[in-house]
Amino acid sequence: NKEKIEKLEALHKEYLSYLSICVSKMLQEKRHNLPQSEKRTFFPTSKILTSQIRKNAQAHAIAIVSTWAKGIYSRKIKRIISKLKWKQEISEDQAKSLYTIGKSLIHEPWKHITQDHIDLYHQILDEHGGKKPSVRPDMPMWMSEMTSRLETPEEATHHDWWISISTLTPRKRVLLPLVGNPYVKSPDDVSKSILVRKKRGRWRFQVVERQEYPEPQTPEEPKGKIGIDIGLNVLCTLSNGNQFGKDFKPKFDGLYKRTKELRSNRQKQGLRDNSERLQRMEDRLSGMIKTETRRIANRLKELYPGHIFVLEDLNLSGTRGQKRFAYRALQQALSEKVAVEYVNPAYTSQTCPSCGHVSRKNRSGIKFKCDSCGRKAHADWVGATNILRRSEDQDIGCGDDPVSVKRELGRRYQALRARSSPPNLEPNAPTVVRESLAPSSPERARLKLDS
């Protein structure tokens, strides 16, 4: 029905226009968050949108700005404040106030925070915050239960679902037929709010499934623990030596390389928005990772029932690309299916499993060679083995600082060397001095036999 689609597109156009006004208003007033009580007086009104749709757009604008502000603080601004403090360009009290402003999105004086602190934070944000959030033409609409409703067909049964959605005309809705999801049987199984977006020329209505899955419980008598390392060339390596996802990496890398080249070319041409081709390639990458990690999770659950799987408690704020995505996907897939335990990840890939020597030189790609004892092994297996051992280590916890972890590992390495080295001679003990001259052939033969 072209008339219904035209009404939906007109609603989307006006929604994005009003959403852009709300986002610009928050950025102009330097408000990165807004309480519920101030929304009506802070945002401008709209004579075209209904009151309920305006509320949806306002909540959407708050989410966009606050998410950007929190993200830019954790990724850049926090580090810049620390550098300014180290260079003594700001005092310790100023840095403390700036940390509080960025973490809690404070916009007015409060306790030890003055207006000068707020102005200084926004000055740093303007200089180092980069591009501020904006409303893209393909951005979805947030529709609450007051403006949209999913229904099951009663008379017209040739479609799986029907959606009743508001339009620009007050108290006038359109009823659209939808193709349903085979895993969802009833509208009661999904959330009331709906995300409406136009993707590749077709309208999509996304909801969140409300079905609750049982959380995996730690077995009372586990059969054992298995360490898991997310590798660079092998997707998953276990502490017992088994590897999963060997053939996945080359296939993923080919598409990942083409996607990066396409995005780089578009940026060089000044094209910031995604094209349909680029969006398809990125969706395919996401699908490949999710499919493979869930297949591995199902396989591990089948092969090792009753085991506890040990993972690194990684902070991926500075990690980009494939490993970040693979770790998150595999972590989520495993946590939904098996019992999982987390350990401190500091130096698990640089510690020799034989002598305990810690050095960055020990690892080179997938090759591991200890700089102290010469032990050679697969780097991912070394990481998985150290992760498993870390789960039984009472002296190193998830919250320990990497500096203290390295200090503890160094102390253990020195203690092990002291136990394995020959005893020191007494000060007055006689020493044997070897002559530098080469012995004759009978003497050389006797030395060889004695050795």
Side-chain angles (χ1 to χ4, degrees):
N1 191 319
K2 293 184 178 180
E3 184 178 355
K4 292 182 179 181
I5 297 299
E6 289 175 356
K7 291 182 179 179
L8 190 60
E9 291 180 346
L11 173 64
H12 186 240
K13 181 179 179 180
E14 293 297 333
Y15 179 94
L16 294 185
S17 176
Y18 182 69
L19 178 64
S20 179
I21 294 174
C22 294
V23 171
S24 300
K25 173 75 172 177
M26 292 188 67
L27 295 175
Q28 183 180 0
E29 298 293 333
K30 298 181 179 180
R31 295 292 300 271
H32 297 159
N33 203 356
L34 207 67
Q36 184 73 19
S37 58
E38 294 186 30
K39 289 201 303 183
R40 177 176 296 182
T41 57
F42 180 81
F43 291 112
T45 186
S46 173
K47 298 181 180 180
I48 301 177
L49 298 177
T50 62
S51 60
Q52 293 296 333
I53 296 179
R54 284 202 308 270
K55 291 180 181 179
N56 296 342
Q58 292 167 2
H60 195 177
I62 295 173
I64 291 174
V65 177
S66 62
T67 302
W68 167 78
K70 291 179 180 179
I72 202 66
Y73 166 75
S74 61
R75 293 194 309 270
K76 296 181 65 176
I77 304 302
K78 184 178 180 180
R79 185 171 65 252
I80 292 171
I81 295 173
S82 300
K83 288 183 178 180
L84 294 176
K85 181 181 65 174
W86 295 335
K87 294 179 181 179
Q88 297 183 352
E89 296 183 14
I90 59 175
S91 64
E92 187 75 25
D93 293 337
Q94 285 180 314
K96 182 180 178 181
S97 300
L98 295 177
Y99 288 141
T100 306
I101 293 172
K103 185 177 181 180
S104 304
L105 305 182
I106 296 176
H107 68 280
E108 59 184 7
W110 175 78
K111 291 186 177 180
H112 61 279
I113 298 175
T114 64
Q115 186 62 41
D116 293 337
H117 294 147
I118 298 175
D119 295 339
L120 177 59
Y121 181 85
H122 286 287
Q123 179 182 349
I124 297 173
L125 185 64
D126 292 338
E127 294 177 357
H128 305 280
K131 184 181 178 182
K132 295 184 178 180
S134 59
V135 178
R136 304 186 309 272
D138 60 342
M139 193 165 283
M141 295 187 293
W142 284 13
M143 306 300 287
S144 64
E145 58 181 326
M146 303 296 294
T147 55
S148 62
R149 185 174 64 252
L150 284 175
E151 301 174 354
T152 54
E154 296 180 358
E155 298 180 359
T157 58
H158 54 282
H159 288 289
D160 301 325
W161 298 79
W162 290 86
I163 183 171
S164 174
I165 189 167
S166 298
T167 61
L168 295 177
T169 306
R171 299 182 181 85
K172 293 292 184 180
R173 294 195 174 197
V174 294
L175 198 63
L176 300 173
L178 303 178
V179 177
N181 190 310
Y183 300 101
V184 181
K185 306 301 180 184
S186 169
D188 297 332
D189 297 337
V190 298
S191 62
K192 299 299 182 181
S193 59
I194 300 176
L195 198 66
V196 183
R197 69 168 69 239
K198 190 174 184 180
K199 191 173 183 180
R200 301 173 191 165
R202 302 185 66 181
W203 285 97
R204 295 172 180 262
F205 301 85
Q206 301 176 1
V207 292
V208 178
E209 189 178 3
R210 297 174 60 182
Q211 182 178 354
E212 296 182 359
Y213 293 93
E215 184 178 353
Q217 301 294 330
T218 303
E220 297 180 359
E221 296 182 0
K223 296 181 180 180
K225 294 183 178 181
I226 298 177
I228 298 181
D229 183 74
I230 311 299
L232 294 176
N233 290 276
V234 179
L235 193 58
C236 173
T237 303
L238 306 186
S239 54
N240 58 12
N242 292 339
Q243 296 181 332
F244 298 85
K246 292 182 181 180
D247 301 332
F248 172 77
K249 181 76 171 172
K251 300 176 184 177
F252 183 86
D253 282 350
L255 182 59
Y256 185 77
K257 182 180 179 181
R258 295 197 302 271
T259 305
K260 286 185 63 176
E261 290 176 352
L262 178 58
R263 179 173 291 280
S264 177
N265 291 335
R266 291 182 61 82
Q267 290 178 351
K268 290 178 182 179
Q269 299 173 22
L271 304 174
R272 296 185 177 273
D273 297 333
N274 288 355
S275 64
E276 292 187 8
R277 180 189 174 194
L278 181 59
Q279 188 64 47
R280 285 196 303 268
M281 295 171 71
E282 291 184 343
D283 292 345
R284 187 180 171 190
L285 284 173
S286 303
M288 289 175 66
I289 283 282
K290 292 179 180 179
T291 301
E292 185 66 15
T293 52
R294 292 191 175 275
R295 186 192 68 81
I296 292 175
N298 292 331
R299 185 60 176 162
L300 293 176
K301 181 180 179 181
E302 178 185 352
L303 292 176
Y304 307 101
H307 284 70
I308 299 177
F309 293 87
V310 186
L311 293 171
E312 295 174 297
D313 187 17
L314 286 176
N315 179 13
L316 300 176
S317 58
T319 306
R320 298 181 180 179
Q322 308 167 32
K323 186 169 183 178
R324 177 188 178 97
F325 196 10
Y327 179 83
R328 287 299 187 204
L330 186 57
Q331 177 194 38
Q332 182 178 1
L334 284 172
S335 61
E336 293 175 357
K337 301 177 184 298
V338 296
V340 176
E341 181 180 338
Y342 294 97
V343 297
N344 194 315
Y347 304 103
T348 53
S349 62
Q350 300 178 14
T351 305
C352 177
S354 297
C355 68
H357 177 59
V358 180
S359 175
R360 185 177 297 179
K361 299 178 181 179
N362 288 350
R363 178 167 184 169
S364 177
I366 62 172
K367 296 179 180 180
F368 184 93
K369 182 179 179 181
C370 181
D371 200 38
S372 177
C373 67
R375 173 68 185 273
K376 295 182 180 180
H378 194 286
D380 294 338
W381 173 84
V382 171
T385 302
N386 288 327
I387 290 170
L388 177 61
R389 293 178 180 178
R390 189 67 59 83
S391 66
E392 303 295 338
D393 196 335
Q394 301 297 328
D395 298 329
I396 300 177
C398 286
D400 292 346
D401 187 80
V403 177
S404 62
V405 174
K406 188 173 184 179
R407 188 183 301 115
E408 174 64 20
L409 295 176
R411 184 190 63 79
R412 296 177 184 178
Y413 170 68
Q414 294 297 335
L416 181 62
R417 288 195 61 183
R419 289 196 301 268
S420 60
S421 60
N424 294 328
L425 298 175
E426 296 180 3
N428 298 326
T431 59
V432 179
V433 179
R434 297 182 181 273
E435 295 183 359
S436 60
L437 297 177
S440 59
S441 55
E443 291 175 341
R444 188 181 299 113
R446 179 170 55 81
L447 290 175
K448 184 176 182 181
L449 291 175
D450 291 342
S451 62

